[in-house]
Each structure stands twice: as structure tokens, then as C-alpha cells.
Amino acid sequence: MQPRAAYGSAGFLCGVAAANRRGRRLPLPRFWGGRRGKRVNRATGPFTGVIPRRFLLITGTFLLSVLLYVDRACISTAKEAITGDLSLSKEQWSWVLAAFAFGYALFQTPAGVLADRLGGRAVLAAIVTAWSVFTGLTAAAWNFVSLLVIRFLFGAGEAGAFPGMARVVYSWIPVRERGMVKGINFSGSRIGAALAMPGVAWLIHHLGWQLSFTLLMATGFVWSALWWAWFRDDPTQRQGLSRTELDYILKNRQDPERAAAPPEPLRVRSLLGSGNLWLMMTQYFGSNFTFFFSLTWLYPYVQTKYHLNAVDAGFYAMVPVLSGAAGNIVSGALVDMLYR
């Protein structure tokens, strides 16, 4: 197999190692920090024969995005069990779902400010711990009001995830790679939602909804501990990062022209006057309108309408969000292509 045909696979890694020994020229993709036709050298080349540390970072943020939406979508999968145990009406259930959205919306901007001031390491570790606590406390809800409050606080905890990840990407990822990285991270949200529908349904069937939520809480604690131990806010603080990769990150993580310009204070008036910001908000509103329907009401609708068991309904309901995951990755790649 030619190296070009094995990008992103174990075969590609083996091909690089073999070619390095023979001094061959390999067409490295830009995402690996190389340029087409550039000679690869283990000591000084853009690819040192090991997986770049920023790729491990992307794996961590991708898994965070998956966990974020498994925890978010599991409430939809558990609807019948929760409404039955707590004797909730459809209207009350709607308010439970809305409480999450209110908490999520109100705390996103403050969480972004905290991420800028404190860094992605502390903020992401703290918020994942916080929302995991409220995931577990969902299992302890005893009536409508208690569930309403817990889900509001759960939404407030989850609000900092994407702002925190944005700060991490800003610090670690070269500009020309950010479209793909953001696409990968956003695809994790769709994949997490897709996994939650049949996966959590299976857990609830075997363990009950309270224990299932408790296990999800424990998973969040594990991610937080690993993130705190491994990640550093600035790549210069990360031990084990090769000199080649560090130089590549520092040289390319900012647009040279903008990096040379003196920083301007960020004011609310300038943000609200930005046409690009309003375009992005409009796009995100449209995207989230359908996405949140898929997260909250699609699963119970499919299950009730077509008289499916819990797991089968999950497999049908996961189709739209998996399509969204593919769209995220393709869009991210297109953004990087346009930027270049």
C-alpha cells in the first residue's frame, strides 16, 4: 500500500517509520505539521515517529464532547422511567428539559470568561466534576421541583464545556488545523448523543435509571482526574512535547499579521456590532433548534409512535445525530481548505 492511501491508519505510521529509515520523501498532510514532498527526518523533521501530543489533546477533548452529550441525552432515554417514578406530566417534563437549557444559556458567557482567565485545565476539570455531580444527583430527585433545580444546575455546569475547549484549541492548535479540530470536537457531541440513546437504554434496562446515572457521574470524575493530571494550559509547560512540535505550535497558532498587532480590549459593544457574530449566532440557532429536538423529544416520539422497545428506538433515533457528526467533520475540513 502506498503511504498516501494509508493516512490516519496504522499502515501510515508504519510507512512513515520505514521511509524515515530509507530517507524517502513522503507527502505528509498539513495536519501532521508537514508539507507535501518535504524530507522526513526523525531528529529535525515535522514528524518525529511518535504521535504528536496535540493529537492526544484532541482525543481528550473529543472524549469530553462525547461524555458531554451522553450525560445530556441520557435524560431523554430515561423519560419513561423518570416520569413514571416521579409521576410527572408531559408539561412538567417539558419544564425539566427547559430548565437545563436556561442554565446552559445563562452560564456559557461567564464560563468563557473564566476559561480565558483561569485556563482550560482548571475550568474543564472543575465543570466536568460539577456537572457529573448533578448527573448523579438526578438519580436522587424525589419530585418535580427537585428535578427542575438539579437539571438547571446540570445545565449551568455543562455550559463551560465548549468555551473551555475553545480556549484549549486557541492555546494548542495551529490556525490551519482548527477547522478540522473543531469539527472533530463537535462531532463528538453528535456521537455522544447517538451512543446515549441505545446505550443508556440498555443500561437502564439492566441496572435501572438511578444506577445508570450514578455510573455516568463516576465516568465524569475519571475524565476530570486524567485531564488535570495530563493537560497544561500552555504547550511550553507540557513535559514530553518534542522541540519540533512545540516550535510548530508556537509558530503557527496565531495568524502572523494579527499576532504582530497590539491586542485590543474586547468590549460588548464591538461584539454586538459584529456582523460575523450575528451570522454565526443565527446559524447556531438553526442548528441547535433541530439538534435539541433530536436530543430531547425524538427518542420518546419514535418509541411511542412506532411501538418500539427502548434499545430499538435508540438505534432509529441515533441516525440524524450521526449524520450531523459526519457533517461536522466534513465542514471542519472545508474550513481548513478555505483558510489555506
Side-chain angles (χ1 to χ4, degrees):
M1 178 183 293
Q2 296 298 320
R4 183 188 298 271
Y7 285 161
S9 68
F12 173 65
L13 299 180
C14 295
V16 169
N20 282 347
R21 291 192 294 269
R22 296 192 296 268
R24 289 179 56 190
R25 297 164 66 90
L26 283 180
L28 286 176
R30 287 183 181 271
F31 192 66
W32 288 76
R35 291 179 295 180
R36 293 188 181 277
K38 185 172 182 178
R39 186 176 298 276
V40 177
N41 182 284
R42 280 187 181 274
T44 61
F47 183 71
T48 61
V50 296
I51 297 176
R53 288 296 185 268
R54 68 187 186 281
F55 285 17
L56 298 179
L57 167 66
I58 296 164
T59 301
T61 55
F62 170 79
L63 292 176
L64 170 60
S65 188
V66 171
L67 176 64
L68 175 74
Y69 275 80
V70 168
D71 287 355
R72 187 179 303 186
C74 66
I75 192 80
S76 174
T77 310
K79 174 182 179 292
E80 295 301 321
I82 295 175
T83 55
D85 286 355
L86 302 184
S87 301
L88 303 180
S89 66
K90 287 185 178 180
E91 290 75 17
Q92 288 175 320
W93 184 252
S94 298
W95 279 108
V96 168
L97 299 178
F100 161 82
F102 283 128
Y104 191 75
L106 289 173
F107 284 88
Q108 274 208 310
T109 300
V113 173
L114 280 178
D116 282 338
R117 292 183 178 178
L118 303 179
R121 182 182 183 225
V123 168
L124 287 179
I127 65 167
V128 175
T129 300
W131 96 53
S132 297
V133 168
F134 291 114
T135 299
L137 286 177
T138 301
W142 62 93
N143 60 17
F144 167 63
V145 174
S146 64
L147 185 61
L148 197 72
V149 172
I150 290 169
R151 297 309 292 182
F152 174 84
L153 295 174
F154 170 76
E158 281 207 335
F162 280 115
M165 281 191 277
R167 181 67 208 186
V168 168
V169 169
Y170 176 84
S171 300
W172 271 78
I173 304 300
V175 174
R176 68 181 61 183
E177 298 175 359
R178 288 181 186 172
M180 176 61 80
V181 170
K182 296 296 287 184
I184 291 171
N185 286 339
F186 273 98
S187 74
S189 66
R190 275 65 179 170
I191 293 171
L195 292 175
M197 293 174 186
V200 175
W202 184 88
L203 281 177
I204 291 173
H205 177 73
H206 289 84
L207 303 177
W209 71 273
Q210 290 95 339
L211 184 54
S212 298
F213 277 65
T214 304
L215 288 176
L216 292 175
M217 175 183 68
T219 304
F221 291 163
V222 171
W223 188 94
S224 293
L226 293 175
W227 178 258
W228 179 261
W230 186 85
F231 180 70
R232 296 297 180 269
D233 287 318
D234 194 279
T236 58
Q237 302 169 343
R238 180 70 180 92
Q239 294 182 356
L241 190 67
S242 71
R243 184 75 244 179
T244 300
E245 185 180 8
L246 178 60
D247 290 343
Y248 176 70
I249 292 172
L250 296 180
K251 181 180 178 181
N252 295 283
R253 67 179 178 178
Q254 301 301 330
D255 187 301
E257 295 182 1
R258 294 184 179 181
E264 298 181 1
L266 186 62
R267 294 186 173 89
V268 175
R269 177 180 295 181
S270 62
L271 282 174
L272 295 179
S274 170
N276 286 338
L277 177 65
W278 284 101
L279 286 173
M280 287 189 292
M281 290 173 63
T282 302
Q283 177 273 329
Y284 206 57
F285 176 86
S287 171
N288 274 350
F289 188 87
T290 54
F291 185 36
F292 270 70
F293 170 78
S294 298
L295 289 180
T296 54
W297 287 106
L298 181 61
Y299 174 87
Y301 171 79
V302 168
Q303 185 180 19
T304 303
K305 176 70 174 179
Y306 298 101
H307 308 289
L308 301 173
N309 64 49
V311 176
D312 287 345
F315 281 115
Y316 281 105
M318 72 191 296
V319 172
V321 288
L322 285 179
S323 300
N328 286 143
I329 295 175
V330 171
S331 298
L334 288 175
V335 167
D336 285 341
M337 290 174 60
L338 291 172
Y339 179 81
R340 293 168 191 161

